[in-house]
Amino acid sequence: VTGASFVVFNGALKTSSGFLAKSSIVEDGLMVQITQETMESLRQALRDKKDFKITCGKMDAEDMKEYVDICWVENEEKTNQG
């Protein structure tokens, strides 16, 4: 679990790169590089207020995967203190 001050979603990752998605820590935030198709799905999920999961890592790697979970919560006070 990584805490971040901000998140940047970059929809310019090419499918030919061999990655499902890439995540990296940038200063005190998180940058997630995703494909244009995933960006469209993410936008729709945000409009619909639905949870969304992004799987990061190489397409052919089975064991080493990272996940970026976007979750909607009922009570923001318990999750964003400080």
Side-chain angles (χ1 to χ4, degrees):
V1 175
T2 301
S5 296
F6 64 90
V7 178
V8 175
F9 294 100
N10 178 341
L13 185 69
K14 304 289 182 207
T15 52
S16 61
S17 70
F19 283 91
L20 298 165
K22 290 181 181 180
S23 64
S24 55
I25 296 173
V26 180
E27 295 182 15
D28 60 343
L30 180 69
M31 181 171 68
V32 184
Q33 298 176 31
I34 55 179
T35 62
Q36 186 62 38
E37 294 81 16
T38 304
M39 180 65 87
E40 289 300 320
S41 299
L42 172 59
R43 286 180 181 149
Q44 189 60 50
L46 292 173
R47 281 187 216 108
D48 296 341
K49 295 185 177 179
K50 303 263 184 191
D51 292 351
F52 193 78
K53 185 176 205 167
I54 299 170
T55 304
C56 301
K58 286 221 172 245
M59 289 183 187
D60 56 1
E62 293 181 21
D63 55 345
M64 291 297 291
K65 297 278 193 254
E66 294 178 357
Y67 301 95
V68 176
D69 289 316
I70 296 106
C71 303
W72 291 87
V73 295
E74 293 294 323
N75 188 350
E76 190 174 311
E77 292 176 12
K78 292 182 181 178
T79 59
N80 278 342
Q81 291 182 348

